[in-house]
């Protein structure tokens, strides 16, 4: 099953970063590296990304790694939506947001995130 891939939603290209049910470790690191390479291969302010963290396990090391990941991607990302963030992860996500100096739209479902991102993609066309 592919976890980092492009999809079209309402005619707009959106990068899916599926970290659902993943835990810290080698698979997480490899997936993050794949997503980073994909994002960095695109022009500045062009990437619309949906990050799915549903059921994922996070620790402080992962939060620090995510801060660096998001910060390095900021020049390439036009908008990002995150699904699956609940409880204490919302606090961790605020830390990531501050490091990135760009907001994420927290959404309740992939469909909601895709709709929002497609709307962002149509702005400024």
């Amino acid at each position: 099953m592919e976890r980092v891939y492009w999809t079209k939603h309402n005619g707009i290209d959106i990068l899916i970063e599926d970290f659902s049910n993943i835990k810290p470790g080698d698979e997480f690191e490899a997936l993050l590296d794949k997503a980073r390479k994909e994002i960095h291969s695109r022009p500045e302010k062009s990437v619309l990304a949906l990050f799915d963290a549903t059921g994922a396990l996070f620790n402080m090391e992962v939060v620090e790694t995510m801060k660096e990941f998001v910060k390095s991607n900021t020049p390439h990302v036009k908008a990002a939506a995150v699904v699956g963030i609940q409880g204490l992860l919302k606090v961790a996500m605020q830390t990531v947001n501050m490091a990135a100096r760009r907001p994420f739209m927290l959404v309740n479902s992939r469909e909601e995130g895709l709709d929002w991102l497609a709307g962002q993609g149509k702005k400024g066309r």
Side-chain angles (χ1 to χ4, degrees):
M1 175 177 101
E2 194 64 37
R3 285 184 169 265
V4 175
Y5 61 93
W6 290 93
T7 190
K8 276 204 184 289
H9 186 77
N10 296 336
I12 302 295
D13 289 329
I14 298 173
L15 180 65
I16 304 295
E17 300 165 282
D18 183 0
F19 281 71
S20 62
N21 301 308
I22 202 163
K23 57 187 175 198
D26 292 342
E27 183 183 10
F28 172 83
E29 294 291 333
L31 189 55
L32 208 59
D33 190 50
K34 183 174 183 178
R36 181 183 297 109
K37 287 177 182 171
E38 190 61 40
I39 291 167
H40 286 225
S41 75
R42 301 296 172 126
E44 287 191 4
K45 299 296 178 203
S46 68
V47 176
L48 300 168
L50 177 71
F51 190 95
D52 188 344
T54 306
L57 298 176
F58 290 87
N59 59 26
M60 286 311 296
E61 183 179 329
V62 167
V63 171
E64 289 302 314
T65 301
M66 289 300 300
K67 284 188 339 191
E68 290 305 313
F69 170 76
V70 169
K71 195 173 179 181
S72 76
N73 294 338
T74 292
H76 302 275
V77 176
K78 180 175 182 175
V82 181
V83 65
I85 300 293
Q86 299 176 4
L88 291 176
L89 281 180
K90 285 187 178 181
V91 174
M93 189 51 119
Q94 290 172 344
T95 302
V96 172
N97 278 342
M98 289 188 315
R101 298 179 189 224
R102 66 176 163 89
F104 295 82
M105 175 63 77
L106 295 179
V107 295
N108 296 314
S109 68
R110 275 194 183 197
E111 191 65 27
E112 181 184 349
L114 290 169
D115 287 345
W116 182 78
L117 288 165
Q120 299 304 301
K122 291 179 180 177
K123 289 182 181 178
R125 273 184 142 188

